[in-house]
Amino acid sequence: MINKRIAVIGIPGKWSTEVLANHLEQRTGYRCVIDMADVVLELETGELRYRDTLLNTLDGVIIKKISETYSPAADDRLRMLKTLEADGVRCFSSPSQVGRLINRLEGTAALASGGIPLPATRVTESTDAALEAIQTFGKVILKPLYSTKARGMVVLKAADGVKANTQILNKFKAKHGLFYLQKFVNLGGQDLGMVFLGGKYLCTYARVGDDKSWNTTIHSGGKYRTFDASSELIELGLKAQSCFDLSFTTVDIALTDEGPVVFEVSAFGGFSGAKKGCGIDAAEKLCDYVLSQLEAETAETETAEAGE
């Protein structure tokens, strides 16, 4: 047993959260799954509590899921965890880095600044400008800034006419406020999830659609398959994930007629695709990585103290 107390920030009862907690318990004898909805931050002391557990006394936390869905409230939860990190508790990944990916605009803007190929994108509050983008591209995907698994996304086509598209845009704006429109690209029935651990390539899986939906997400009926990524494609994934500093992540890539494009870098990454598509227990490997990082830090501290 390794004498470390590491908690999992996640959704109690969810497979990805529980399987990670299981691996940690097997190696450390300690198990703690934290639901951020029940966490209390004491600003006057900087202490973060989850029921009877003082999180500031932990050796580390793994942020597997900050909430069931992405929203501005998820940003608030990450701000709470920043106080934990400031107190010396190691967070995998850092809340500051995760926060850059909760909001779709901030994440893709960072990728664009890093020279990563993306589908042509327009961001505006103007309905007229949004209509112009639809006309220019012919077909677009209208995306909420906060969403996962293609939830809330709408496909708009210029052929449907200005009146119909205006009605959809106005309804969308009333709920979300900002238009994020991305040129529709042909996925060829699949897109790829490229998995990275500690900034190093782990594997690639494909999500294959069921021909009933425009997207290939598992939520919409897609299935995981193995995929042998080329060295050039892996290099693209490495470059995309290097725009952030994440302990574990998945880069979503599509192979289009105009070449590969990156849709997003995941704030948390997924275990299911690596397991079902590549036969790799990514939860176990993340657990090993976290423990090795904490053990290395302990060794450095002990060496420094011995030299004093």
Side-chain angles (χ1 to χ4, degrees):
M1 288 286 182
I2 299 175
N3 186 28
K4 295 291 181 184
R5 296 171 68 240
I6 306 164
V8 177
I9 307 288
I11 310 298
K14 288 290 186 178
W15 175 79
S16 61
T17 295
E18 298 295 340
V19 73
L20 184 54
N22 289 342
H23 283 303
L24 287 170
E25 186 177 18
Q26 290 170 5
R27 286 165 174 74
T28 67
Y30 181 78
R31 183 189 186 91
C32 181
V33 173
I34 297 170
D35 184 346
M36 286 298 297
D38 292 328
V39 170
V40 177
L41 169 62
E42 299 176 1
L43 284 176
E44 67 275 17
T45 64
E47 291 183 345
L48 209 61
R49 295 184 179 275
Y50 175 68
R51 298 175 182 172
D52 296 330
T53 302
L54 178 59
L55 305 189
N56 306 66
T57 64
L58 296 173
D59 295 295
V61 298
I62 302 177
I63 308 175
K64 184 61 195 80
K65 202 74 173 176
I66 199 67
S67 64
E68 191 73 62
T69 57
Y70 288 4
S71 70
D75 285 328
D76 296 332
R77 292 180 172 186
L78 289 167
R79 289 187 183 94
M80 293 170 70
L81 289 176
K82 286 180 183 179
T83 66
L84 194 65
E85 188 176 44
D87 202 27
V89 179
R90 183 74 184 274
C91 298
F92 302 88
S93 300
S94 168
S96 297
Q97 294 299 312
V98 172
R100 297 174 65 201
L101 290 162
I102 292 294
N103 180 295
R104 175 169 279 108
L105 175 55
E106 185 171 355
T108 49
L111 291 171
S113 296
I116 305 301
L118 304 166
T121 305
R122 300 291 183 269
V123 182
T124 181
E125 294 182 37
S126 167
T127 301
D128 288 341
L131 288 168
E132 183 178 345
I134 297 169
Q135 189 64 39
T136 298
F137 296 141
K139 189 176 182 180
V140 304
I141 304 175
L142 178 61
K143 301 182 177 183
L145 293 189
Y146 296 92
S147 74
T148 59
K149 298 180 174 61
R151 294 186 181 95
M153 297 184 185
V154 183
V155 176
L156 300 176
K157 294 177 287 185
D160 290 337
V162 171
K163 182 178 179 180
N165 286 330
T166 298
Q167 290 176 342
I168 295 172
L169 289 170
N170 287 339
K171 184 178 180 180
F172 185 94
K173 186 174 183 178
K175 183 176 182 179
H176 301 288
L178 190 73
F179 300 124
Y180 178 105
L181 304 111
Q182 210 160 52
K183 181 181 178 180
F184 189 96
V185 296
N186 183 12
L187 300 179
Q190 71 172 15
D191 71 339
L192 310 176
M194 192 169 287
V195 186
F196 294 89
L197 176 63
K200 296 182 179 179
Y201 174 71
L202 192 61
C203 66
T204 301
Y205 57 84
R207 282 178 294 252
V208 182
D210 64 357
D211 297 326
K212 297 179 181 179
S213 174
W214 61 267
N215 69 77
T216 62
T217 64
I218 304 306
H219 179 71
S220 298
K223 302 295 182 183
Y224 294 119
R225 297 286 188 271
T226 58
F227 187 88
D228 185 17
S230 66
S231 58
E232 291 82 7
L233 205 57
I234 293 172
E235 188 61 33
L236 173 60
L238 278 166
K239 185 178 179 182
Q241 64 87 39
S242 70
C243 293
F244 312 92
D245 184 12
L246 300 164
S247 303
F248 179 76
T249 189
T250 303
V251 180
D252 289 346
I253 300 176
L255 304 178
T256 76
D257 295 337
E258 300 174 6
V261 295
V262 173
F263 283 128
E264 66 179 12
V265 174
S266 171
F268 308 104
F271 297 153
S272 187
K275 184 73 171 180
K276 296 177 181 178
C278 308
I280 292 177
D281 190 337
E284 181 179 33
K285 289 188 177 296
L286 175 57
C287 178
D288 290 340
Y289 171 78
V290 167
L291 289 171
S292 67
Q293 290 287 301
L294 292 176
E295 287 289 285
E297 290 178 2
T298 299
E300 288 180 9
T301 300
E302 292 175 348
T303 298
E305 291 175 347
E308 292 179 353

